[in-house]
């Protein structure tokens, strides 16, 4: 359990840093890129895997998180294939939802 908590904290600290990455042609640090969104998803997905290793997870929690993760993955693929601000923002929003789900449940225990 200590390992999961360490990975969770590390992911929370690293994820915002990856979101600040920019394409070489971009002039702004605050705009997400398809590359940064894809990297962020890999970290968030890893957080999901770590979270699901907890034996006290209910079937409902598992299914809710699996559905959120699937939606986030599909939105990242869409952002990679059709990169525009709406798709990038949707992918980011879903990843934030996953982090909020994991964080809120951690506080409940």
């Amino acid at each position: 359990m200590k390992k999961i908590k360490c990975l969770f904290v590390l992911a929370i600290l690293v994820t915002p840093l990856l979101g600040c990455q920019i394409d070489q042609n971009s002039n702004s640090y605050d705009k997400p890129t398809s590359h940064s969104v894809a990297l962020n998803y890999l970290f968030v997905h890893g957080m999901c895997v770590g979270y699901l290793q907890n034996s006290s997870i209910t079937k409902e929690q598992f299914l809710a998180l699996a559905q959120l993760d699937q939606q986030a993955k599909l939105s990242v693929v869409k952002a990679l294939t059709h990169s525009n601000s709406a798709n990038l923002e949707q992918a980011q929003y879903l990843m934030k939802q996953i982090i909020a789900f994991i964080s809120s449940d951690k506080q409940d225990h």
Side-chain angles (χ1 to χ4, degrees):
M1 187 59 138
K2 186 177 179 181
K3 182 179 178 182
I4 293 172
K5 287 181 182 178
C6 289
L7 290 173
F8 181 71
V9 170
L10 180 62
I12 291 209
L13 294 174
V14 171
T15 300
L17 296 175
L18 292 174
C20 293
Q21 290 183 353
I22 58 171
D23 283 338
Q24 293 173 352
N25 298 331
S26 177
N27 294 327
S28 176
Y29 285 99
D30 59 350
K31 293 183 181 177
T33 65
S34 55
H35 180 75
S36 66
V37 168
L39 286 174
N40 285 344
Y41 172 73
L42 293 175
F43 279 102
V44 171
H45 179 72
M47 291 169 61
C48 289
V49 171
Y51 175 83
L52 293 173
Q53 291 178 1
N54 185 345
S55 61
S56 67
I57 301 300
T58 66
K59 180 181 177 181
E60 291 78 20
Q61 290 169 316
F62 181 92
L63 293 174
L65 187 58
Q67 184 179 21
L68 270 174
D69 184 57
Q70 180 68 15
Q71 290 172 345
K73 179 175 65 173
L74 293 174
S75 70
V76 168
V77 169
K78 188 174 182 180
L80 288 169
T81 57
H82 305 331
S83 185
N84 61 44
S85 62
N87 291 342
L88 293 169
E89 288 173 14
Q90 177 66 17
Q92 283 189 307
Y93 171 78
L94 288 168
M95 287 184 280
K96 288 177 184 177
Q97 292 296 101
I98 291 171
I99 293 170
F101 180 92
I102 292 171
S103 299
S104 68
D105 188 60
K106 292 285 185 192
Q107 294 171 357
D108 293 343
H109 289 273

